[in-house]
Amino acid sequence: MSGGQIAAVGDTREIRDLAGPGTRVIDAGGATVLPGFIDSHVHLFCGSAELDYLDLYGVLGLGDLTEKVRGYSDQCRDDKVVFAVRADYAILGPGRKTTRHDLDSVLPERPFAMFAADHHTVWANTKALELAGILHGGDVDRGSEIVMAADGTASGELREPGAYSYVLRLTRYGGRDLQGVLTGADPTPPVAPADRALDRELMAKGLKHCARYGITGLHNMDGNFYTLELLRELEQSGDLLCRMEVPFHLKEFDGIDRLNEAEEMRQRFNSDRLWCNRVKMFMDGVVESSTALMLEPYPGLVTTGDAVFGVDHFNAACVMADAMGFQISVHAIGNLAIRRTLDGYEAAIRANGRRDSRHRIEHIEILHPDDLPRFRELGVVASIQPGHAPFGGIFPPDGVGRMLHAHQIPLAYAWEDIRASGAKVIFSTDWPIIPVDVMANIKAAVSPIDMPEPWRDQRQTLFNTLKSYTADNAWVEFNEDRKGRLKPGMIADIAVMSHDLEALEPQELASSHAVLTVSGGQITWEA
């Protein structure tokens, strides 16, 4: 490496001959050396914040939940709301809905709330609902719901950001960590200097956390000017350890003229390590809470889910963003949400002509067969998180299946079917939905757990998985000529692993970890 770039690639003798008296020589010992991993779907601010909250992953049953929450409550006496993350939808048992009364018994003396692992639902106890001012309901955005009980009070279940934002304002960071998701606008009133310093320190901690997994690049999935300003300050101080792409987040309540702010964001933030060239939108929710938008009602329910954007509004936003030269990425999980997103991209092509846009769809969990070939036809990138699937080995395998009809399952989480169709596939974690641990996610793709029919085997090859995490993620950000490969002249973003990944059994891939991470020739993590 020289000047932040890869100077040469060759065998041991060739490379050692290039070393000078001041050169540091690192012997990988036969382990795998890769281009630095790029996680192409993360939420840095809230992921960083949640490193310090109570983690309920794997907690099941009222007794276990009570023990964990009460123990944590003693550690956060200054917090207005005792807050926990990664709660299972079935934390109190299969098919049982969590209510405020359940959580009152868990922690009766203090406000308590917990985030679902997918971040689309919060459950809150009575004291938290009272403190947030929504025990008797409140105004919410389209696609959000404060679930009400038969007695006219809130049940404790808050679906989607427009509902749970009331509670988040009371958490340790005042909801600033999710402001880029909730509104896409900056916090109001402006953040006090002490809180701003706290937020900047928090993001620096999150970047260090990512670097320890061999990550050198991140594509954020929420954003505002405030987030970018903090990241620029970290860049100026030398603490922006991962290259960051941050989008402009257009919400369903925004007029499309707000895209003028996206242009301002692109002009203001365009450095080698921090930039904006993308517009992010949400089309629906998630399957587990029946808010993912489907072509037919959920089994046993009358709802088909929630459309976040109206069709005309969404199509107009796609046409304008595309005309401005932005890349677009859209959260779409249900089969109708995916179809409408593809329709929006097709409308942009009709209006503006075809170009190398590399527009993306995020998640793509329940796909209708008619829409499978449209990814390749329209040049749409499939942005997938293997660890989200019921066969990914991270979430309970039976959670999603209860919410689907049998005929929907064959193309559910259809990674390999999408890849085989000729579409470009990229991989990521969606941290903090699952940990930003690269190798656990790679293991989920290469060695998924076996599921009975009608689930289909969607396992990936190791080569395709690693490529989707490196070269393809560089390609999707239009940096394929600079990043994602070990080649002379490319940016020296490198991960050195603890094992030879090709020699590991697929089920053992998660045992490997990064021992050295290099970004632009500088070491950002060393075990």
Side-chain angles (χ1 to χ4, degrees):
M1 295 178 288
S2 176
Q5 294 184 328
I6 297 172
V9 176
D11 62 26
T12 299
R13 182 187 58 78
E14 292 172 327
I15 300 304
R16 285 192 181 275
D17 287 345
L18 297 175
T23 302
R24 179 176 175 184
V25 177
I26 298 166
D27 188 343
T32 298
V33 180
L34 291 160
F37 293 113
I38 301 171
D39 195 321
S40 56
H41 188 129
V42 299
H43 300 271
L44 174 67
F45 202 165
C46 64
S48 303
E50 292 179 21
L51 292 173
D52 295 326
Y53 287 134
L54 175 63
D55 188 347
L56 295 176
Y57 180 73
V59 173
L60 293 173
L62 186 61
D64 194 10
L65 176 62
T66 300
E67 179 183 357
K68 293 289 194 301
V69 171
R70 291 186 182 180
Y72 176 70
S73 177
D74 293 335
Q75 302 170 30
C76 59
R77 286 294 175 189
D78 294 335
D79 288 354
K80 295 178 183 177
V81 173
V82 177
F83 197 64
V85 298
R86 294 219 291 168
D88 195 294
Y89 277 87
I91 196 168
L92 298 182
R96 178 173 171 182
K97 294 278 190 181
T98 300
T99 70
R100 64 182 174 93
H101 303 295
D102 294 321
L103 300 188
D104 288 345
S105 69
V106 169
L107 195 67
E109 72 278 6
R110 292 186 66 187
F112 168 62
M114 59 185 192
F115 230 152
D118 60 24
H119 286 60
H120 286 262
T121 300
V122 164
W123 296 274
N125 71 358
T126 301
K127 285 187 178 295
L129 294 168
E130 288 175 335
L131 188 62
I134 55 172
L135 180 59
H136 299 282
D139 295 331
V140 299
D141 304 325
R142 177 175 177 168
S144 299
E145 180 184 7
I146 299 172
V147 178
M148 305 301 290
D151 66 359
T153 62
S155 72
E157 182 176 355
L158 308 172
R159 297 181 177 179
E160 302 299 331
Y164 62 61
S165 60
Y166 291 96
V167 171
L168 292 186
R169 293 179 193 133
L170 305 172
T171 58
R172 189 174 302 168
Y173 298 98
R176 298 186 302 277
D177 52 311
L178 274 161
Q179 194 76 33
V181 175
L182 300 177
T183 67
D186 291 342
T188 53
V191 181
D195 285 336
R196 187 182 182 96
L198 181 70
D199 294 347
R200 185 173 58 250
E201 181 180 345
L202 179 71
M203 285 195 198
K205 176 181 177 179
L207 289 163
K208 289 179 183 178
H209 181 75
C210 292
R212 74 188 300 269
Y213 290 106
I215 295 170
T216 58
L218 300 169
H219 300 172
N220 222 44
M221 282 293 139
D222 63 87
N224 51 22
F225 285 99
Y226 178 67
T227 298
L228 279 156
E229 288 166 0
L230 293 178
L231 291 170
R232 173 177 280 172
E233 291 169 15
L234 291 175
E235 180 183 21
Q236 291 168 343
S237 65
D239 296 313
L240 188 63
L241 301 186
C242 304
R243 302 176 197 277
M244 287 283 300
E245 193 253 15
V246 178
F248 179 84
H249 195 164
L250 187 72
K251 299 293 292 184
E252 68 277 5
F253 44 74
D254 292 327
I256 62 171
D257 58 342
R258 190 163 178 251
L259 288 171
N260 292 322
E261 293 180 44
E263 182 58 39
E264 179 188 352
M265 187 176 283
R266 177 162 59 182
Q267 294 298 323
R268 284 178 55 187
F269 301 94
N270 57 9
S271 76
D272 179 60
R273 299 192 68 85
L274 180 65
W275 72 99
C276 169
N277 191 43
R278 182 165 51 89
V279 171
K280 167 74 186 297
M281 291 180 278
F282 270 85
M283 184 57 80
D284 66 346
V286 293
V287 172
E288 291 87 339
S289 63
S290 67
T291 55
L293 185 62
M294 298 291 193
L295 288 160
E296 60 187 296
Y298 287 84
L301 302 176
V302 297
T303 184
T304 57
D306 298 323
V308 176
F309 268 86
V311 171
D312 292 342
H313 187 191
F314 177 75
N315 287 356
C318 287
V319 169
M320 183 170 176
D322 180 77
M324 296 171 71
F326 281 101
Q327 185 184 42
I328 307 170
S329 61
V330 177
H331 166 117
I333 283 179
N335 48 25
L336 181 53
I338 295 167
R339 178 169 294 177
R340 287 186 178 178
T341 304
L342 291 167
D343 290 346
Y345 293 161
E346 189 170 6
I349 291 174
R350 287 197 306 269
N352 304 324
R354 189 177 291 269
R355 68 181 181 89
D356 184 14
S357 62
R358 305 183 194 183
H359 296 326
R360 307 165 46 160
I361 300 183
E362 312 298 322
H363 309 307
I364 317 164
E365 294 184 0
I366 316 300
L367 180 63
H368 190 278
D370 291 350
D371 295 311
L372 176 59
R374 298 180 69 197
F375 282 82
R376 182 176 182 275
E377 292 166 2
L378 298 173
V380 175
V381 181
S383 175
I384 292 170
Q385 300 73 42
H388 286 200
F391 41 81
I394 295 175
F395 292 128
D398 58 347
V400 171
R402 292 193 298 266
M403 302 296 292
L404 300 177
H405 298 282
H407 67 267
Q408 294 173 323
I409 290 177
L411 274 184
Y413 305 88
W415 319 324
E416 185 58 24
D417 291 285
I418 296 171
R419 190 185 292 279
S421 76
K424 183 76 81 171
V425 175
I426 59 174
F427 285 155
S428 56
T429 59
D430 197 8
W431 181 54
I433 307 304
I434 62 174
V436 77
D437 182 352
V438 171
M439 293 311 300
N441 205 36
I442 286 175
K443 187 267 180 186
V446 177
S447 182
I449 64 175
D450 293 329
M451 297 279 284
E453 292 186 353
W455 293 98
R456 300 182 60 232
D457 186 354
Q458 298 289 342
R459 75 185 63 239
Q460 305 284 286
T461 67
L462 178 61
F463 177 81
N464 282 342
T465 301
L466 293 175
K467 186 169 179 284
S468 287
Y469 237 122
T470 55
D472 291 339
N473 276 341
W475 172 87
V476 82
E477 63 175 52
F478 298 89
N479 267 322
E480 66 269 31
D481 294 331
R482 303 174 66 240
K483 298 166 57 178
R485 290 177 293 162
L486 299 183
K487 179 181 176 182
M490 302 290 274
I491 294 173
D493 288 358
I494 298 169
V496 180
M497 306 306 293
S498 59
H499 296 73
D500 177 355
L501 300 184
E502 293 178 288
L504 285 174
E505 292 296 324
Q507 63 271 21
E508 299 298 324
L509 282 166
S511 67
S512 183
H513 60 274
V515 296
L516 187 77
T517 307
V518 177
S519 177
Q522 300 297 312
I523 294 174
T524 56
W525 160 257
E526 188 169 9

